[in-house]
Amino acid sequence: MSMQCYVYKSQRTEGAYVYLRDADAFGLVPVALAEKLGTLTFVIELDLSPERKLAREDVNAVMANLQTQGFHLQLPPVVEALNAPQS
């Protein structure tokens, strides 16, 4: 099974991306989350399938979220060095 999705970059939260099951379907994103993300800018349209590899996300989790919620949120990776004790 494959599905199309549309990826948008947050202009307010560096490294945050929203995957939507329908183009420009911003109403699928909860209002509080949308406010935190700010303006979303279109990046790419993808054809997802269980065989496809994504750089930072599990494609099966993305597809499941798109089917159940209509969107998937990708947050920037946590930088461990920032949490390390200072010497």
Side-chain angles (χ1 to χ4, degrees):
M1 178 183 102
S2 69
M3 66 186 329
Q4 290 297 114
C5 80
Y6 305 85
V7 183
Y8 298 82
K9 178 179 181 176
S10 168
Q11 296 302 304
R12 184 177 294 159
T13 305
E14 183 69 30
Y17 293 85
V18 176
Y19 296 66
L20 296 175
R21 70 176 169 213
D22 299 310
D24 299 332
F26 304 116
L28 295 170
V29 180
V31 173
L33 177 58
E35 288 174 357
K36 287 183 180 184
L37 294 172
T39 302
L40 297 173
T41 304
F42 178 75
V43 176
I44 192 168
E45 179 180 348
L46 295 174
D47 184 28
L48 300 178
S49 69
E51 297 79 28
R52 183 180 185 117
K53 300 287 185 213
L54 297 174
R56 292 191 351 219
E57 297 294 303
D58 176 337
V59 71
N60 294 309
V62 173
M63 291 175 70
N65 286 337
L66 291 174
Q67 288 175 339
T68 59
Q69 308 175 138
F71 76 97
H72 174 82
L73 176 63
Q74 175 181 308
L75 294 173
V78 175
V79 179
E80 294 298 326
L82 294 176
N83 297 325
Q86 302 294 317
S87 48

